[in-house]
Amino acid sequence: MLFFSHFTRVCLSMRQSTPFCRESDVANITHLTVKITTYLKLKLFFVDMAAQNVRGVSRVLEKLENSIKDGNYYEAHQMYRTIYFRYLSQKKYTELLDMLYKGALLFLEHDQQISGADLAILLVEVLVKSESTNYTEWTPKLCKIFAKISTNYPERETFITNAIRWSAKGGAQGHPFLHQGIAQVYWNEKNYVHARHHYLYSKDGQGCAKLLIEFQTTQGYSSEEDLFITQVVLQYLCLRNQATASQTFNNYTKEHPRIRKSGPPYLLPLLNFIWFLLQAIESRKLSTFTVLCEQYEPSIKRDPCYIQYLDKIGQIFFGVKPPPQQQRGGFFGNFLHSFLSGLDDDSDDDSTVQASTSSVRVLEDNTELD
């Protein structure tokens, strides 16, 4: 290494004394010297480890951390990657995961975004290759890294997308616990749209309700208090997440400063509709669901998406047949047709008719809610 440093100094002196040594030549030689020096340090590093019969990863981490703290970022990054390939070939997954996690955080804390994100992406690759399913341990760690990667770097999206894909064994769209953590990071950044999206794939109805309240009161109109919660509840139900839909609705209506009610009657018709819808899903009575949609048709039509959501909800929870495409009569005409078909197929006709009559009576008793 002393030879290469001396060689660089000689080239610089030659540049000053003769015009035949160009600046580009000196720059290339200097760059090559850095690479060779780094390589030699790595060789000495591994020789030193073998000579001392180092156990575990503690000494490795100490040397790497010192390189970063000394500002030798390029050298440290190359050392991390070299050790990554060596440990990966030896299937030392536990040591490798620990090293990459601490290294990524250390780079990010020194604002070395590209190096930190690179190690973070490698970390997820190791989680995949090791077939780890320890979501409880790794979700907080992955979210901590995610929070430290700058939003200006595209590697951030790559990292979190890969992390969600890794967690897919814990849920078709990714593990709910990971989505909850990602949502909280976005919420802290005041990115309400992305936070809301990830809450939909979580099971944290209480957190989702608090986010929606803050989102609505800071960026929404007062006339949209019911729209914010209605859309989320319907989307939860379309994802077959009935429990979180109920939890989100209950917490939102209890804690929203302009609602603060734990049950009907609400002043806003859509809130009454959602409350009755959740009760109807509990009973699985198709007749109740049909009458409910007819009674609240004007409120449902405030947003065209609601009709599509309700069509899906009818299929999931009430066995409604998908309406033929381009059938005349609109959603409610199609829905009534599906409902009547469902009655023909129902073996318990009397009980269904009785349920229908009861639901009509209940809704008529609550018409003043509108």
Side-chain angles (χ1 to χ4, degrees):
M1 288 182 286
L2 291 175
F3 167 76
F4 288 110
S5 298
H6 175 70
F7 185 59
T8 302
R9 287 196 296 271
V10 169
C11 288
L12 289 173
S13 63
M14 289 174 61
R15 176 69 182 90
Q16 296 172 354
S17 60
T18 176
F20 297 105
C21 188
R22 297 173 300 178
E23 288 186 6
S24 59
D25 295 332
V26 176
N28 290 336
I29 292 173
T30 303
H31 182 67
L32 180 61
T33 302
V34 171
K35 284 192 171 183
I36 295 176
T37 302
T38 301
Y39 170 77
L40 290 175
K41 284 185 177 181
L42 281 170
K43 294 289 289 184
L44 291 174
F45 175 69
F46 285 116
V47 169
D48 180 57
M49 286 179 59
Q52 299 184 41
N53 192 23
V54 178
R55 296 180 60 188
V57 76
S58 58
R59 184 170 176 78
V60 179
L61 290 175
E62 182 182 353
K63 285 182 174 290
L64 293 174
E65 289 171 3
N66 288 336
S67 294
I68 296 176
K69 291 176 182 178
D70 293 340
N72 299 321
Y73 302 124
Y74 174 80
E75 175 184 301
H77 190 192
Q78 295 306 309
M79 292 173 72
Y80 270 107
R81 290 190 66 86
T82 301
I83 298 171
Y84 161 77
F85 287 111
R86 172 167 292 201
Y87 277 12
L88 189 64
S89 65
Q90 298 172 354
K91 297 185 178 180
K92 292 183 176 181
Y93 297 129
T94 301
E95 295 89 344
L96 184 53
L97 288 170
D98 185 53
M99 183 193 72
L100 291 173
Y101 171 66
K102 292 180 179 179
L105 286 180
L106 198 57
F107 272 121
L108 294 171
E109 287 168 359
H110 285 76
D111 199 29
Q112 298 299 304
Q113 292 288 325
I114 295 177
S115 296
D118 179 59
L119 295 191
I121 293 171
L122 293 178
L123 171 64
V124 177
E125 289 183 7
V126 177
L127 286 172
V128 173
K129 292 178 180 178
S130 65
E131 299 183 349
S132 172
T133 56
N134 194 344
Y135 307 118
T136 302
E137 175 187 356
W138 281 104
T139 288
K141 292 181 177 180
L142 294 175
C143 290
K144 185 175 182 179
I145 293 175
F146 179 61
K148 289 183 177 295
I149 301 177
S150 173
T151 57
N152 298 324
Y153 288 83
E155 290 83 1
R156 188 187 206 225
E157 186 66 23
T158 301
F159 163 70
I160 204 60
T161 300
N162 292 348
I164 294 172
R165 189 177 296 116
W166 159 72
S167 73
K169 290 183 179 179
Q173 304 294 331
H175 198 281
F177 189 30
L178 179 58
H179 279 291
Q180 178 181 340
I182 297 170
Q184 290 170 346
V185 172
Y186 279 126
W187 187 1
N188 292 335
E189 298 170 353
K190 302 303 179 184
N191 190 333
Y192 296 116
V193 174
H194 281 73
R196 176 189 173 283
H197 169 76
H198 286 282
Y199 266 123
L200 281 173
Y201 295 101
S202 77
K203 294 182 179 180
D204 183 14
Q206 184 176 6
C208 184
K210 290 181 178 180
L211 167 78
L212 291 174
I213 291 171
E214 182 177 318
F215 190 11
Q216 194 280 315
T217 55
T218 58
Q219 298 191 15
Y221 296 103
S222 59
S223 60
E224 296 176 332
E225 296 165 6
D226 52 347
L227 298 181
F228 271 69
I229 185 61
T230 297
Q231 186 177 53
V232 167
V233 170
L234 294 179
Q235 289 175 338
Y236 268 128
L237 294 175
C238 287
L239 292 170
R240 304 173 187 269
N241 194 345
Q242 178 184 351
T244 309
S246 297
Q247 185 185 35
T248 304
F249 178 79
N250 292 334
N251 281 275
Y252 183 90
T253 52
K254 287 179 184 177
E255 298 178 15
H256 196 289
R258 291 191 291 271
I259 300 176
R260 294 194 184 282
K261 292 206 66 178
S262 57
Y266 299 101
L267 293 177
L268 301 171
L270 267 179
L271 297 181
N272 292 307
F273 169 72
I274 292 297
W275 189 89
F276 283 124
L277 175 62
L278 293 171
Q279 303 306 308
I281 290 175
E282 288 287 343
S283 67
R284 293 295 201 274
K285 294 291 185 179
L286 175 57
S287 55
T288 304
F289 178 58
T290 306
V291 174
L292 182 63
C293 291
E294 291 176 343
Q295 289 288 322
Y296 284 93
E297 180 178 354
S299 297
I300 292 171
K301 286 185 174 180
R302 287 178 63 188
D303 188 333
C305 292
Y306 294 167
I307 295 175
Q308 300 175 33
Y309 295 146
L310 288 170
D311 180 44
K312 184 67 175 178
I313 291 168
Q315 296 173 40
I316 294 173
F317 295 102
F318 300 97
V320 176
K321 298 177 181 179
Q325 293 183 352
Q326 298 181 345
Q327 181 174 328
R328 295 181 179 181
F331 167 76
F332 289 97
N334 296 338
F335 188 82
L336 182 59
H337 174 77
S338 298
F339 170 62
L340 294 175
S341 299
L343 288 181
D344 293 338
D345 298 336
D346 196 335
S347 59
D348 191 3
D349 292 341
D350 294 337
S351 61
T352 305
V353 173
Q354 183 178 357
S356 176
T357 305
S358 300
S359 62
V360 171
R361 188 178 302 112
V362 169
L363 292 173
E364 286 177 346
D365 293 340
N366 289 278
T367 51
E368 69 273 9
L369 301 182
D370 294 344

